[in-house]
């Protein structure tokens, strides 16, 4: 194989021996995976080769080394944005086939209202009817691709939405294959691991709990500071397919990276004062319907959507460092910490500050860089 980060001469022909090895059940080293996915992202692989590559990995089971190599290939080709040191991303992998309302997008508005800088990475609909980018456009929020504009939004307004198609042009070569396959592959994992603003604090929702530890391991190797990899279990629905976010439908599994240490724990909605609710309570629709639901939420609407957003926003606060640092990753201390975060998040919906974030983005005016009152409340000052 060629050195990592380069595309072999001959393009797709270099994938043939790789595909033969994968068909035999072999695994790729990190640098081999990086080169193979580099071929794909340079447009030098055929549709059949791309499908064979990702499906062979899925059937056998993708490895941490293969995932890290693919992430490095994608990061090397993305259009980057100058970020801010303490920015956070909240992003799900998709692929959970539940078609829920846009939870992480709503969480982004709540975090920004609390003074947490958010470089929100999102995509158009793949496994649902309305992805983050679709819903934002329906809300009237412009999606920029100019790095200078996005840098200004992050620095002056404290929030920027990074639409994946605008920052990962190399992925266009795989897009038709992904659509035709119609099932989750390693590509679902790559986007959340390749934030264009280079954030080092991330809350990532996963379609499958078994990916939590590998994702945290890859991000740790790539320099992440704080990560929560979360997966919600659909206990009420009895579905084997969980959600790529914290849920009210059952307990949620979390693998967290903080201060170089990895913690594993479970979040139970009942211990947060939340009744269990079926996933159907937050089923979404098209972009217009999801946008209407999100704006209603920001205007104070109650129900399962609000409670789900508060739960996820509270967890994201811990990742951002604005909440209490995780010291006891289980039991009452954990749930007390999350209840406190939910109360802070709820105030942004009740006092209109989260809605103000949306309105200022629509109007193109500046959002205060920090909400001193909110920050003071979070730190108990």
């Amino acid at each position: 194989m060629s050195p990592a980060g380069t595309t072999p001469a001959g393009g797709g022909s270099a994938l043939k021996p790789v595909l033969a090895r994968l068909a035999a059940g072999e695994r790729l080293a990190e640098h081999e995976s990086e080169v193979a996915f580099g071929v794909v992202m340079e447009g030098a692989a055929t549709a059949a080769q791309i499908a064979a590559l990702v499906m062979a990995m899925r059937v056998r089971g993708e490895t941490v080394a293969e995932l890290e190599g693919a992430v490095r290939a994608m990061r090397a080709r993305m259009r980057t944005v100058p970020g801010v040191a303490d920015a956070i991303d909240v992003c799900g992998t998709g692929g959970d086939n539940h078609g829920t309302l846009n939870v992480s997008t709503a969480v982004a508005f709540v975090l920004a209202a609390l003074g947490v800088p958010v470089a929100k990475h999102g995509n158009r609909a793949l496994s649902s009817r309305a992805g983050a980018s679709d819903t934002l456009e329906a809300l009237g929020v412009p999606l920029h691709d100019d790095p200078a504009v996005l840098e200004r939004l992050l620095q002056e307004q404290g929030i920027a939405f990074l639409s994946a198609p605008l920052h990962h042009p190399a992925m266009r070569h795989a897009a038709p294959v992904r659509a035709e396959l119609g099932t989750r592959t390693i590509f679902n994992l790559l986007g959340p691991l390749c934030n264009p603003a280079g954030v080092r604090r991330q809350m990532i929702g996963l379609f499958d709990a078994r990916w939590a530890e590998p994702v945290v391991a890859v991000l740790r190797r790539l320099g992440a500071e704080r990560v929560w990899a979360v997966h919600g279990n659909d206990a009420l629905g009895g579905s084997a397919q969980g959600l790529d976010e914290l849920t009210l439908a059952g307990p949620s599994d979390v693998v967290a990276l903080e201060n170089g240490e990895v913690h594993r724990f479970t979040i139970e909605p009942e211990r947060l004062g939340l009744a269990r609710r079926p996933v159907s309570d937050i089923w979404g629709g098209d972009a217009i319907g999801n946008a209407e639901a999100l704006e209603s939420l920001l205007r104070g609407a109650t129900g399962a959507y609000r409670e789900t957003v508060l739960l996820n926003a509270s967890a994201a606060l811990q990742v951002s460092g604005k909440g209490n640092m995780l010291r006891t990753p289980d039991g009452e201390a954990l749930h007390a910490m999350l209840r406190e975060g939910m109360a802070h998040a709820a105030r942004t919906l009740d006092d209109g500050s989260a809605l103000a974030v949306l309105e200022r983005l629509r109007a193109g005016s500046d959002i205060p860089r920090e909400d001193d009152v909110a920050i003071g409340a979070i730190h108990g000052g």
Side-chain angles (χ1 to χ4, degrees), residues 93-102 123-135 188 244 283-287 290:
T93 58
D96 65 11
N97 299 316
H98 283 292
T100 59
L101 293 165
N102 303 94
N123 208 341
R124 297 200 177 276
L126 291 172
S127 60
S128 63
R129 294 175 61 192
S133 296
D134 305 304
T135 298
N188 285 83
D244 65 339
W283 276 348
D286 61 16
N290 280 20

Side-chain angles (χ1 to χ4, degrees), residues 44-328:
T46 67
Q49 289 175 328
I50 297 171
L53 175 69
V54 298
M55 290 308 295
M57 286 183 171
R58 176 175 176 178
V59 170
R60 183 256 288 146
E62 303 93 336
T63 68
V64 172
E66 288 166 346
L67 176 59
E68 183 173 346
V71 169
R72 289 185 183 277
M74 187 168 174
R75 287 190 177 192
R77 292 163 177 82
M78 68 183 179
R79 292 175 177 167
T80 60
V81 175
V84 296
D86 53 350
I88 183 175
D89 186 15
V90 284
C91 184
T93 58
D96 65 11
N97 299 316
H98 283 292
T100 59
L101 293 165
N102 303 94
V103 173
S104 61
T105 305
V107 167
F109 288 107
V110 172
L111 293 177
L114 288 169
V116 176
V118 185
K120 171 72 178 82
H121 199 199
N123 208 341
R124 297 200 177 276
L126 291 172
S127 60
S128 63
R129 294 175 61 192
S133 296
D134 305 304
T135 298
L136 287 166
E137 285 189 338
L139 283 167
V141 176
L143 299 175
H144 301 282
D145 63 352
D146 185 340
V149 172
L150 292 165
E151 180 183 17
R152 181 183 61 79
L153 287 171
L154 265 178
Q155 292 184 343
E156 298 179 6
Q157 299 189 12
I159 185 169
F161 291 102
L162 313 177
S163 181
L166 302 178
H167 296 278
H168 301 288
M171 288 295 288
R172 72 185 185 278
H173 302 296
V177 173
R178 295 183 69 185
E180 286 190 38
L181 289 176
T183 187
R184 77 93 183 150
T185 67
I186 195 172
F187 286 124
N188 285 83
L189 295 166
L190 299 187
L193 303 182
C194 297
N195 183 286
V199 299
R200 298 207 286 177
R201 302 175 183 185
Q202 293 186 250
M203 179 168 150
I204 299 178
L206 299 167
F207 56 80
D208 188 334
R210 75 181 181 89
W211 275 108
E213 291 193 24
V215 160
V216 169
V218 168
L219 287 174
R220 185 180 186 181
R221 283 173 56 88
L222 294 173
E225 296 174 349
R226 297 190 182 98
V227 179
W228 277 30
V230 309
H231 174 78
N233 295 287
D234 184 16
L236 282 182
S239 170
Q241 181 68 66
L243 290 87
D244 65 339
E245 59 211 12
L246 299 176
T247 182
L248 304 178
S252 296
D253 300 314
V254 183
V255 175
L257 170 68
E258 293 194 16
N259 298 324
E261 298 182 355
V262 176
H263 306 275
R264 299 163 187 81
F265 49 91
T266 300
I267 295 172
E268 301 173 70
E270 298 91 340
R271 300 183 71 177
L272 299 171
L274 301 171
R276 289 199 180 187
R277 293 176 179 263
V279 178
S280 58
D281 281 2
I282 59 168
W283 276 348
D286 61 16
I288 293 175
N290 280 20
E292 291 173 349
L294 200 158
E295 184 160 356
S296 293
L297 168 76
L298 299 183
R299 292 186 182 278
T302 60
Y305 188 26
R306 173 187 168 104
E307 292 174 3
T308 302
V309 168
L310 294 181
L311 171 57
N312 282 270
S314 177
L317 276 175
Q318 315 313 316
V319 182
S320 76
K322 300 297 185 184
N324 296 321
M325 289 300 294
L326 180 63
R327 299 188 185 281
T328 308

Side-chain angles (χ1 to χ4, degrees), residues 309-355:
V309 168
L310 294 181
L311 171 57
N312 282 270
S314 177
L317 276 175
Q318 315 313 316
V319 182
S320 76
K322 300 297 185 184
N324 296 321
M325 289 300 294
L326 180 63
R327 299 188 185 281
T328 308
D330 56 16
E332 182 54 29
L334 167 68
H335 289 83
M337 176 184 69
L338 290 171
R339 286 195 297 271
E340 180 183 359
M342 287 175 59
H344 295 309
R347 279 196 285 273
T348 72
L349 301 178
D350 296 335
D351 66 14
S353 56
L355 176 63

